[in-house]
Amino acid sequence: GGGLRRRGRSQAMSEFGYIADHLRRSEVQCRCCGLATMRPALLAAWNKLRPVINRPIQIVSGYRCPSRNAHVHGASDSRHTKGEALDISCKSYSLYSDEAFFAFLDAGFHGIGRGNGICHIDVRPLEDAAFWRYTTDGMIRDEPAYRKFQEWQKLRNETKEG
């Protein structure tokens, strides 16, 4: 008899274009060449972040090939070209809040740039954590975010010790 074949969750997800929970390949692929080479660390961080945010998150930019990155005037060493970064829309709800900032950190996103309705999040190593704001004049260091990061690290260390 021809019974139904059981599929695993990951196989079913990939058949529908999902590369992580609530994240389709089409959302992160390069607009230039269609590649979507995302690092496992980014997908793992996304899987931790998405249930905490608990609402749809619009991806503005994911993977960028070098050509696309140059076209959008991205940094020459952009983490987008390494599959380590996402730009997400922050227009419909506040991902600028402290709660969201701490959720990004807890998930493993240690590069956070915010402004102009966009949040850039990337999975750089914790020791290289960086925070900035986008302004009409370009990017500036986000001093309040660095203070919040120090709070977060202190709480994290206290939790580990206790």
Side-chain angles (χ1 to χ4, degrees), residues 83-103:
E84 298 175 350
L86 296 171
D87 291 342
I88 58 179
S89 174
C90 298
K91 291 177 182 168
S92 60
Y93 47 90
S94 183
L95 289 180
Y96 294 130
S97 70
D98 287 355
E99 182 181 2
F101 180 78
F102 293 128

Side-chain angles (χ1 to χ4, degrees), residues 104-121:
F104 294 147
L105 291 172
D106 287 341
F109 292 105
H110 304 131
I112 303 169
R114 301 179 287 177
N116 303 329
I118 300 292
C119 291
H120 167 99
I121 50 177

Side-chain angles (χ1 to χ4, degrees), residues 36-54:
T37 309
M38 304 307 286
R39 292 281 169 102
L42 182 129
L43 299 177
W46 177 265
N47 281 342
K48 289 178 189 171
L49 176 67
R50 184 57 180 71
V52 174
I53 300 298
N54 197 28

Side-chain angles (χ1 to χ4, degrees), residues 17 24-29 36:
R24 289 179 187 259
R25 182 184 188 286
S26 60
E27 294 178 279
V28 298
Q29 70 187 27

